[in-house]
Amino acid sequence: YQFFTQVVFHDVRRAYDIMLKQALRYLVGEYPSPDNLDSFIKLDDYKIWSMMLGSDDYWSRAILSRKHLQSVYESESVSENDGNDLILINERFEREDIEYYIDESDKPWYDLNGSIGEEEIMVIDKNNQAHPLSRHSRIMDKLENPNFIRVYVKREDESRAKQIIDGMGL
């Protein structure tokens, strides 16, 4: 849980993922297929970095100046309410002309009931009995659906976006 929240799904790292995808769409357009190996390997880190340095697009400038997207909404356990919250956020942000980006964890970071092909982690107690981790961990026991979701906005829209979300009681 700690590794996932502090490293894999760290808000700043994920913000830069979104920004890099946007910059690549602007700079490269359609990324060459790995089937066309010559074109594919020409777009290495050095080439992309050089393209970013010579570009005046928003995303390249933001990455180079380290002005990353800001997280204005976060949910640590996706529920049906989050879908409703996102609909409300979408309506309000569109009305206020705030561009936003939704970031969801690709899959649950832990499977409480083995439904995605993995069994729950078992813990051996002092009597040499195996029990699911959720019986020994308050964090695990409390989570119903361990997915994460965040909404990001551009830095210049952060205060307005936070005011809207605070006003919605989210």
Side-chain angles (χ1 to χ4, degrees):
Y1 173 82
Q2 292 298 322
F3 176 78
F4 185 85
T5 58
Q6 299 301 311
V7 178
V8 175
F9 206 68
H10 189 275
D11 61 328
V12 175
R13 190 197 70 77
R14 299 288 287 206
Y16 278 104
D17 285 352
I18 293 168
M19 294 168 62
L20 184 57
K21 287 177 189 174
Q22 295 296 328
L24 287 172
R25 282 189 185 113
Y26 179 83
L27 297 169
V28 178
E30 188 172 328
Y31 212 79
S33 167
D35 295 336
N36 184 349
L37 193 56
D38 289 334
S39 297
F40 184 77
I41 62 174
K42 284 181 183 175
L43 286 175
D44 59 9
D45 292 349
Y46 178 76
K47 177 68 174 174
I48 297 298
W49 188 252
S50 297
M51 292 169 73
M52 289 174 73
L53 288 171
S55 179
D56 65 350
D57 73 288
Y58 174 87
W59 299 108
S60 294
R61 285 191 331 268
I63 291 169
L64 294 171
S65 63
R66 296 186 174 146
K67 294 184 177 172
H68 59 81
L69 295 172
Q70 300 296 303
S71 175
V72 294
Y73 173 87
E74 183 172 321
S75 174
E76 292 187 359
S77 184
V78 176
S79 68
E80 290 180 25
N81 286 344
D82 292 316
N84 296 335
D85 291 349
L86 291 176
I87 290 169
L88 293 172
I89 290 170
N90 175 55
E91 290 172 356
R92 291 296 306 276
F93 282 9
E94 281 188 1
R95 197 174 324 140
E96 296 293 324
D97 198 30
I98 296 175
E99 192 174 331
Y100 67 96
Y101 303 87
I102 296 175
D103 183 29
E104 295 182 68
S105 55
D106 299 332
K107 60 183 178 181
W109 59 271
Y110 186 74
D111 188 6
L112 285 170
N113 52 23
S115 64
I116 58 175
E118 296 180 20
E119 293 184 21
E120 186 173 355
I121 294 172
M122 301 300 280
V123 175
I124 307 294
D125 67 15
K126 61 184 175 186
N127 298 321
N128 212 23
Q129 299 292 315
H131 302 284
L133 176 61
S134 57
R135 268 183 65 186
H136 295 278
S137 166
R138 286 183 284 155
I139 292 171
M140 300 305 303
D141 188 45
K142 299 277 185 246
L143 293 176
E144 294 175 22
N145 184 2
N147 282 323
F148 286 70
I149 190 165
R150 276 197 198 103
V151 176
Y152 290 95
V153 298
K154 293 179 178 176
R155 186 174 291 256
E156 56 268 22
D157 294 328
E158 179 184 14
S159 62
R160 284 190 314 137
K162 283 184 175 180
Q163 285 177 339
I164 291 169
I165 288 175
D166 289 345
M168 296 168 60
L170 302 179

